[in-house]
Amino acid sequence: SATVFLYKRAASSPSKPQIEITYTFSTGRLSDTGDWSNSVPDGSDPCYVIHATAISQNATDIIESSEWSDPVLFVKNGDNGSNGNNTAIVYLYRRSSTALTVTWGETLTYRFSTKLLESVPSGWSQAIPPGTDPIYVTMATAYGDTDTDTIDANQWCEPVVLAENGKDGADGSSSYMHVRYSEYSDGSSMSSIPTDSTTYIGVCTTKSATAPTTAASYKWMKFRGNDGIPGTPGADGRTQYLHIKYSDDGETFTGNDGEDIGNYIGTLVDFNQSDSTVFSDYKWKQFSGDLSIDIEEIQKRIDESADNIYDTINQKEEGIYDKIDGDIAGIRGSVTDQINIIQETIRKNYDDVMTEANAILNSYKAEIGQYMEFGNSGLVLGASSSTFKTVIDNTGMYFKEGDAIVSYVKNTQLHIPNAVIESTMALGNFFFSPRSDGGVSLVWQEGG
């Protein structure tokens, strides 16, 4: 036996089917049902339901028109609810060097469709204004069931500072490198001009353009070795000439064809007695220290021995550069080592955290996997050792025993192909209960 239902939408109570309808127990389906439906049809009219009981020892049972119950209202659309209320938080901004208060007394109107006030108090705006003074903000809440709401002056909160410019930072400072020369390792009797006997160089970096006058302020190092074993006499050479020019910008000579003192010094050694007039022929360096150099003394030394001065300059220059390059290389190497240590520590900590997280995740997956599975068939709930499962996909929710669907929810309906009611069942105002003779009673109960 089986209880069979048919549904139909109509503006008023419809008539029962006037034809014989065949019910098949194995499929739970009815044959041609006319203008009635096996499931709740789409539409906006009220939905009515009828039912009948199919009883037979055969595979099918024929249900006649008289076996169907009278149509009963099953469901209908409810009445429309009342309109909801609009709410919005409204802000006003103003820049000021002093604290502000709400000084206006007029009522302001806020329109929800434009999200703007229809007017604003003098000096205030609905967007942050440009300027440098601190930005003050006040706000109120608009609430209503129409497109507008009025906001009284006492509904605005006390203005507070939203943002303001920070204070200027401290001025930066320049660094200056100063170089001095000495015959002694402690810098005694130091001078700003190298000589044949000054085998030590002192370097000092300060925040002042004026060089320190005490030898202890410099770091001293030997930059010229002892004389070596005399070599074999060489072939007669040509006379070399050292040429010196000056520049203010490092691109052109100073006045008097580069003879006037400037910010850059250019040197050129060649076999020509006449100065070159080509700027790029010279090797240029910018002065960075005290320029209290006796130019006449330098010129005198140049005239006496161009070759000796040129060799001395080259040796000192190379020594300074080697020292600077060595210090930079040492600093770079130390920083690189520290960075590598930090990177390795971060990498190890990251690997340890990821290993622990993966272990926890895998454990969680393994535990959840005993009761939950994601696949092409959707989300499957139920113990892996049980044949009872709940499957949820894009079409509905299905309750299964093995591969058989016991019941399912789809299109806002609960479907139960086969059900065993062991005691009683109520459907609306209808009450079903078993009789002692093996039959079923259908009773109408007023008031449910």
Side-chain angles (χ1 to χ4, degrees), residues 394-413:
N394 292 334
T395 63
M397 181 168 66
Y398 303 85
F399 302 91
K400 303 178 67 176
E401 181 179 4
D403 294 330
I405 297 177
V406 178
S407 63
Y408 62 96
V409 178
K410 186 175 183 181
N411 295 329
T412 69
Q413 300 173 20

Side-chain angles (χ1 to χ4, degrees), residues 322-341:
D322 290 343
K323 174 59 179 174
I324 293 174
D325 290 342
D327 291 345
I328 292 176
I331 294 173
R332 184 184 295 112
S334 177
V335 171
T336 301
D337 291 342
Q338 292 298 320
I339 292 175
N340 290 337
I341 293 173

Side-chain angles (χ1 to χ4, degrees), residues 102-417:
V102 176
T103 58
W104 64 88
E106 67 266 27
T107 297
L108 305 179
T109 300
Y110 179 82
R111 188 170 295 278
F112 292 99
S113 58
T114 62
K115 299 181 180 179
L116 293 172
L117 291 165
E118 294 185 346
S119 63
V120 296
S122 176
W124 293 83
S125 65
Q126 298 186 73
I128 296 177
T132 57
D133 287 333
I135 304 170
Y136 283 81
V137 62
T138 180
M139 66 179 183
T141 301
Y143 180 85
D145 58 1
T146 62
D147 188 42
T148 62
D149 181 39
T150 56
I151 304 175
D152 296 332
N154 59 7
Q155 292 181 260
W156 294 94
C157 70
E158 192 71 18
V160 295
V161 174
L162 176 65
E164 61 182 330
N165 295 336
K167 297 180 180 179
D168 293 337
D171 293 336
S173 58
S174 301
S175 296
Y176 298 87
M177 186 176 76
H178 309 282
V179 180
R180 290 293 182 268
Y181 304 93
S182 175
E183 299 179 17
Y184 311 101
S185 60
D186 61 357
S188 301
S189 303
M190 66 180 183
S191 66
S192 59
I193 303 173
T195 66
D196 293 342
S197 59
T198 53
T199 57
Y200 290 87
I201 185 173
V203 180
C204 174
T205 302
T206 69
K207 301 296 182 180
S208 173
T210 302
T213 58
T214 59
S217 299
Y218 296 81
K219 181 178 181 180
W220 294 94
M221 67 200 76
K222 192 172 186 178
F223 73 103
R224 181 187 298 172
N226 298 325
D227 294 338
I229 300 174
T232 58
D236 292 340
R238 293 185 295 169
T239 301
Q240 291 182 316
Y241 296 89
L242 173 64
H243 309 276
I244 296 180
K245 295 290 183 180
Y246 298 94
S247 172
D248 284 327
D249 56 7
E251 297 179 355
T252 58
F253 291 119
T254 58
N256 195 21
D257 295 330
E259 297 297 322
D260 295 338
I261 300 298
N263 296 324
Y264 292 78
I265 182 172
T267 59
L268 168 64
V269 177
D270 60 15
F271 300 103
N272 298 318
Q273 188 173 1
S274 301
D275 291 341
S276 172
T277 59
V278 179
F279 187 86
S280 59
D281 287 346
Y282 292 79
K283 183 177 182 181
W284 294 95
K285 289 291 181 182
Q286 184 178 14
F287 288 113
S288 60
D290 186 5
L291 298 180
S292 58
I293 299 176
D294 190 340
I295 302 302
E296 292 182 358
E297 180 66 22
I298 292 178
Q299 190 65 50
K300 178 180 177 181
R301 294 181 181 278
I302 291 172
D303 293 338
E304 291 176 351
S305 178
D307 289 341
N308 185 39
I309 294 176
Y310 178 72
D311 292 339
T312 300
I313 291 175
N314 277 344
Q315 292 174 6
K316 294 177 192 242
E317 182 180 61
E318 291 174 359
I320 294 173
Y321 289 160
D322 290 343
K323 174 59 179 174
I324 293 174
D325 290 342
D327 291 345
I328 292 176
I331 294 173
R332 184 184 295 112
S334 177
V335 171
T336 301
D337 291 342
Q338 292 298 320
I339 292 175
N340 290 337
I341 293 173
I342 293 173
Q343 288 179 338
E344 183 61 28
T345 301
I346 293 174
R347 185 181 298 109
K348 184 178 183 303
N349 291 340
Y350 173 81
D351 291 341
D352 292 343
V353 171
M354 291 303 299
T355 299
E356 183 179 356
N358 286 332
I360 295 173
L361 180 60
N362 291 333
S363 175
Y364 177 75
K365 286 182 178 179
E367 182 177 354
I368 294 299
Q370 300 179 28
Y371 303 96
M372 182 183 300
E373 177 183 355
F374 297 91
N376 295 331
S377 59
L379 173 61
V380 180
L381 304 175
S384 58
S385 59
S386 174
T387 59
F388 292 95
K389 298 288 190 297
T390 299
V391 179
I392 303 174
D393 60 18
N394 292 334
T395 63
M397 181 168 66
Y398 303 85
F399 302 91
K400 303 178 67 176
E401 181 179 4
D403 294 330
I405 297 177
V406 178
S407 63
Y408 62 96
V409 178
K410 186 175 183 181
N411 295 329
T412 69
Q413 300 173 20
L414 173 63
H415 300 261
I416 304 177

Side-chain angles (χ1 to χ4, degrees), residues 1-198:
S1 64
T3 301
V4 186
F5 298 91
L6 287 177
Y7 305 90
K8 182 177 180 180
R9 288 190 179 273
S12 60
S13 180
S15 60
K16 297 185 291 185
Q18 301 301 311
I19 58 176
E20 292 182 345
I21 301 175
T22 301
Y23 177 79
T24 302
F25 290 96
S26 61
T27 63
R29 302 293 296 177
L30 293 163
S31 61
D32 182 19
T33 58
D35 55 357
W36 288 79
S37 174
N38 285 284
S39 59
V40 176
D42 296 332
S44 58
D45 287 333
C47 180
Y48 289 83
V49 61
I50 58 175
H51 73 279
T53 301
I55 301 175
S56 177
Q57 295 181 347
N58 300 320
T60 61
D61 182 37
I62 297 176
I63 303 175
E64 297 180 354
S65 176
S66 60
E67 295 184 63
W68 292 100
S69 66
D70 291 332
V72 175
L73 180 62
F74 181 60
V75 66
K76 68 177 181 178
N77 292 338
D79 297 330
N80 292 330
S82 58
N83 293 332
N85 290 314
N86 296 315
T87 60
I89 298 177
V90 189
Y91 299 91
L92 287 175
Y93 305 92
R94 183 175 179 177
R95 287 188 179 270
S96 175
S97 59
T98 58
L100 297 175
T101 59
V102 176
T103 58
W104 64 88
E106 67 266 27
T107 297
L108 305 179
T109 300
Y110 179 82
R111 188 170 295 278
F112 292 99
S113 58
T114 62
K115 299 181 180 179
L116 293 172
L117 291 165
E118 294 185 346
S119 63
V120 296
S122 176
W124 293 83
S125 65
Q126 298 186 73
I128 296 177
T132 57
D133 287 333
I135 304 170
Y136 283 81
V137 62
T138 180
M139 66 179 183
T141 301
Y143 180 85
D145 58 1
T146 62
D147 188 42
T148 62
D149 181 39
T150 56
I151 304 175
D152 296 332
N154 59 7
Q155 292 181 260
W156 294 94
C157 70
E158 192 71 18
V160 295
V161 174
L162 176 65
E164 61 182 330
N165 295 336
K167 297 180 180 179
D168 293 337
D171 293 336
S173 58
S174 301
S175 296
Y176 298 87
M177 186 176 76
H178 309 282
V179 180
R180 290 293 182 268
Y181 304 93
S182 175
E183 299 179 17
Y184 311 101
S185 60
D186 61 357
S188 301
S189 303
M190 66 180 183
S191 66
S192 59
I193 303 173
T195 66
D196 293 342
S197 59
T198 53

